Amino acid sequence: MKTGSPLWNRRARRRAAGLRVATKRLAVPAAVLLLCAAGTPHARAEGPPPVSVLLDGRPVAGDVAPYIAEGRVMVPVRSILEPLGATVEWDGDRRMVRVVKGSLRIEIPVGQRGMYRNGERVETDVPSALVQGRTMVPVRSLAEILGAKVEWDGDHRRVLVTTAGGGAGGASPGLPARTGGGDLNGAAAGPVSRPVWEGLLEVKGAEAGVPADQIERVRRLLARSGVMDHLTSDLPGSLREPVRIYLVSTPEGFRRALVQAGLPPEQANLFASLTSGASLGNDIYIPLYAAAEDAHLANVLAHELTHVFLDQTGAGQAIPVWMHEGLAWWEGLKAQSRFEPAVVSKGWPQRLEAAIIDGQRRGVLIPLPDVTQDSILGISRYNPEWQGYVAVERLAGGGWDRIRRYIAAARDGVPDAFVRAFGMTEEAFDRQLREWLEQQGRRADAGVRLTLQVEPGFSGNIGFMAHGSDHWLMFRLAPGTYQVEILPDGSVTGLSGGRTVRTANGADPNTMFIGIQPDRPGSGDAVEGGFAISYAYGRYFYQNAWTRKAGEGPKFNREDRVLGVRLVDIQPEEAGPAPAAARPAGSAAVPGR
């Protein structure tokens, strides 16, 4: 069967009397673009005072210091649990920490955004990590499993953990409320504490008819996305002036708001037809109709707040346009990751890289130093903002502290700030990036490893069809967790007893499919469903999920669970570059074409 996916509005920025906008491009293949997701983790930034953790009023001691990753405080497992009388053991074969405390059993796999409490998976915002031989986990997630309360003392950069009977607890004013695995679009659900920065952000309607619940929804999204915590952790400086976020419900209301902000009517008409968000000075304008889902809206808010943040701290005019836009995408995708499953957000770096690799191979990329505000809106052959994101991602590989130091030095007018921070000129970095893109364009397809969880009660068939293949390999799977490898020739390893079923729809060179056929109709009377996974330049990444009722066409979404089957992870197998003359399948259908 063929599937598609919703268009993702391509976003860009243009300065016109200080205006910045996030634009949407509709001439993009629907089969490859989704609403956006998350960024990649940062190295610990230098500059702010160290983070500390107090457990029932006592400092937590450990040989690895707590640090902030993706807006969450990470602590060694042992430092929290052993003082509470828990037994902590390391399973080296499975790279997993096992914890026993009375009847409580906790398993923490390293590198996953989740842990298991008495066999039940609990999603976490940040993956666990192995640092200097210690397993680091987000303290909030671990504390909540224990039934403890967590409070963030922003003035002293410390986390206060209070166990039952251990002292007075309280709401968390600085750490945004955690989004659970079943609440991906539930920004209006549950209590949200008042962040310390909330006094600097004002959310209001810019036209009559903006519902009060939409204003409250945006306020909650700001807290739950963690965008302000991310900005103050990732970038030097802080907001110094109030920021007003104006919401509009209609295109005409958006146009009027831009005119009232000082834009000539003809420019306001153009921008209102193109944009999913705009900022002018300290004012941000958000058309709610262009960002209906929480994930998309969180991205737009973070994107525009990044522009305002950089400008208020004096860095906006000092750093190159490509970096300004790349940072906005970095923060936007990171904020959005709070509202999408991990398997969805994990694919976005590969998706954006694939688009820019394609632009390099087609010879349409402009040099990074030549990217300007005017060129961003004027280019239709690819998205220069994604080029900026990929460039920032490459620089971040050498440590996020270098990016932070560079921004501070550029803001302060330090000569040759780029060279001092990165050891090369901007032009040399552009050449290095192009060489890497050219190499990645020759990357061979080595297949993909999928992790699936078949939930209790499922009975039926699960099939796999590789990209470029015209047949399914169908298997009956009992409940459990499976690692399945799909090879480029269409064969499947990790399972046995499959049967081959030909499809009348033909092969799709850029998409592989997981098909699910339960023995009994599932939720909403769906008779089948599955997942589509994009392929381009050796990269596999989540595209969409779908379900279908009898006699109807498919309905698409961006969930990780379909009809009792959860897609946990997509991991492309590693392979070297293909021969220089080879052009891997997938080159004709990647984002940005």
Side-chain angles (χ1 to χ4, degrees):
M1 66 190 70
K2 296 274 188 180
T3 68
S5 67
L7 285 173
W8 160 242
N9 293 336
R10 187 187 127 188
R11 301 156 43 112
R13 178 171 77 99
R14 174 189 179 98
R15 175 165 298 146
L19 179 74
R20 295 185 177 85
V21 298
T23 68
K24 52 190 177 184
R25 289 282 192 261
L26 299 182
V28 182
V32 292
L33 296 185
L34 296 175
L35 207 59
C36 58
T40 52
H42 297 167
R44 184 183 178 188
E46 296 181 358
V51 176
S52 61
V53 179
L54 272 65
L55 177 62
D56 290 334
R58 299 183 299 274
V60 171
D63 48 8
V64 178
Y67 62 91
I68 294 177
E70 299 188 45
R72 294 295 184 263
V73 176
M74 306 289 286
V75 297
V77 172
R78 290 183 185 274
S79 68
I80 294 290
L81 295 182
E82 288 188 338
L84 298 177
T87 301
V88 181
E89 297 180 350
W90 169 249
D91 184 343
D93 293 336
R94 299 184 64 185
R95 291 177 58 81
M96 174 185 293
V97 172
R98 301 181 186 276
V99 180
V100 178
K101 185 178 187 297
S103 61
L104 180 64
R105 302 289 189 272
I106 303 174
E107 293 183 336
I108 307 174
V110 171
Q112 291 191 22
R113 291 180 185 260
M115 55 184 76
Y116 295 87
R117 182 185 189 276
N118 291 338
E120 181 179 355
R121 184 176 175 89
V122 178
E123 300 296 333
T124 61
D125 296 325
V126 184
S128 58
L130 199 62
V131 178
Q132 299 177 27
R134 294 289 182 250
T135 301
M136 310 295 288
V137 296
V139 64
R140 173 174 292 277
S141 300
L142 193 60
E144 288 179 347
I145 280 183
L146 297 171
K149 295 182 180 180
V150 179
E151 182 178 358
W152 171 247
D153 180 356
D155 293 337
H156 300 93
R157 286 176 61 82
R158 62 186 181 182
V159 179
L160 310 178
V161 180
T162 306
T163 61
S172 168
L175 294 177
R178 182 170 62 88
T179 301
D183 187 28
L184 295 172
N185 287 306
V192 177
S193 57
R194 180 180 176 86
V196 295
W197 43 261
E198 192 178 70
L200 288 173
L201 300 182
E202 180 182 10
V203 183
K204 59 173 64 176
E207 64 174 335
V210 175
D213 64 338
Q214 290 298 306
I215 295 174
E216 182 61 23
R217 171 195 174 208
V218 170
R219 289 174 178 155
R220 291 176 176 270
L221 273 175
L222 289 168
R224 297 178 80 95
S225 68
V227 55
M228 293 306 301
D229 297 309
H230 296 160
L231 289 174
T232 53
S233 174
D234 296 343
L235 306 176
S238 60
L239 286 180
R240 298 171 296 186
E241 302 173 8
V243 179
R244 294 168 294 274
I245 300 175
Y246 293 104
L247 309 180
V248 295
S249 298
T250 65
E252 178 58 25
F254 190 22
R255 188 196 69 81
R256 284 199 303 266
L258 294 177
V259 170
Q260 292 172 1
L263 278 187
E266 61 275 11
Q267 284 188 321
N269 289 336
L270 173 63
F271 294 150
S273 67
L274 292 175
T275 64
S276 55
S279 60
L280 177 61
N282 291 328
D283 296 338
I284 293 173
Y285 299 87
I286 304 294
L288 294 171
Y289 57 85
E293 297 186 13
D294 287 347
H296 188 178
L297 184 55
N299 183 294
V300 174
L301 288 165
H303 188 110
E304 298 305 329
L305 278 167
T306 303
H307 290 319
V308 174
F309 189 98
L310 288 168
D311 285 345
Q312 278 201 20
T313 57
Q317 300 292 334
I319 63 176
V321 170
W322 62 264
M323 178 171 281
H324 207 306
E325 298 299 341
L327 290 170
W329 265 93
W330 185 288
E331 300 297 343
L333 293 178
K334 187 192 295 186
Q336 181 160 345
S337 70
R338 293 288 187 265
F339 304 95
E340 288 186 324
V343 72
V344 179
S345 61
K346 179 182 177 181
W348 267 94
Q350 289 89 355
R351 179 178 286 110
L352 270 59
E353 284 177 2
I356 301 308
I357 292 168
D358 188 69
Q360 166 72 3
R361 290 182 66 81
R362 292 187 292 118
V364 299
L365 296 189
I366 62 176
L368 287 173
D370 293 344
V371 175
T372 65
Q373 289 89 0
D374 288 337
S375 68
I376 287 175
L377 280 182
I379 292 179
S380 60
R381 296 172 296 174
Y382 79 103
N383 189 344
E385 288 193 357
W386 290 358
Q387 184 181 1
Y389 172 87
V390 173
V392 167
E393 185 184 49
R394 295 295 295 168
L395 290 176
W400 190 261
D401 59 301
R402 296 198 305 170
I403 293 179
R404 186 184 175 95
R405 286 201 302 268
Y406 163 68
I407 295 171
R411 175 198 63 194
D412 296 339
V414 175
D416 298 322
F418 197 94
V419 175
R420 290 172 182 265
F422 304 114
M424 69 186 86
T425 64
E426 187 181 353
E427 291 76 12
F429 171 64
D430 179 67
R431 291 193 295 271
Q432 184 186 89
L433 177 64
R434 287 171 178 271
E435 292 172 0
W436 179 81
L437 292 170
E438 184 62 34
Q439 180 188 45
Q440 292 297 303
R442 298 193 300 271
R443 181 171 159 180
D445 178 13
V448 61
R449 178 176 288 110
L450 308 174
T451 302
L452 297 174
Q453 286 181 350
V454 181
E455 298 174 348
F458 175 83
S459 174
N461 297 307
I462 300 177
F464 305 89
M465 184 164 61
H467 72 93
S469 173
D470 64 352
H471 63 271
W472 293 89
L473 289 177
M474 305 293 296
F475 302 85
R476 290 194 68 84
L477 299 183
T481 300
Y482 299 85
Q483 282 202 342
V484 183
E485 187 176 9
I486 315 299
L487 300 178
D489 63 2
S491 60
V492 175
T493 66
L495 299 174
S496 59
R499 59 188 177 89
T500 300
V501 178
R502 296 286 174 180
T503 175
N505 292 333
D508 186 326
N510 306 111
T511 311
M512 72 160 292
F513 299 97
I514 303 172
I516 303 167
Q517 294 179 329
D519 291 336
R520 298 179 303 276
S523 176
D525 294 326
V527 296
E528 67 177 16
F531 303 95
I533 298 171
S534 292
Y535 171 78
Y537 300 111
R539 289 158 167 78
Y540 288 84
F541 42 86
Y542 180 101
Q543 182 182 129
N544 60 259
W546 82 91
T547 56
R548 187 181 67 82
K549 296 180 181 180
E552 298 183 5
K555 294 183 178 180
F556 304 104
N557 60 67
R558 286 172 298 281
E559 302 296 331
D560 62 348
R561 288 178 174 87
V562 172
L563 296 174
V565 178
R566 179 169 179 250
L567 178 58
V568 178
D569 192 32
I570 301 169
Q571 185 63 50
E573 298 288 11
E574 292 297 326
R583 186 177 180 89
S587 59
V590 297
R593 278 302 284 263

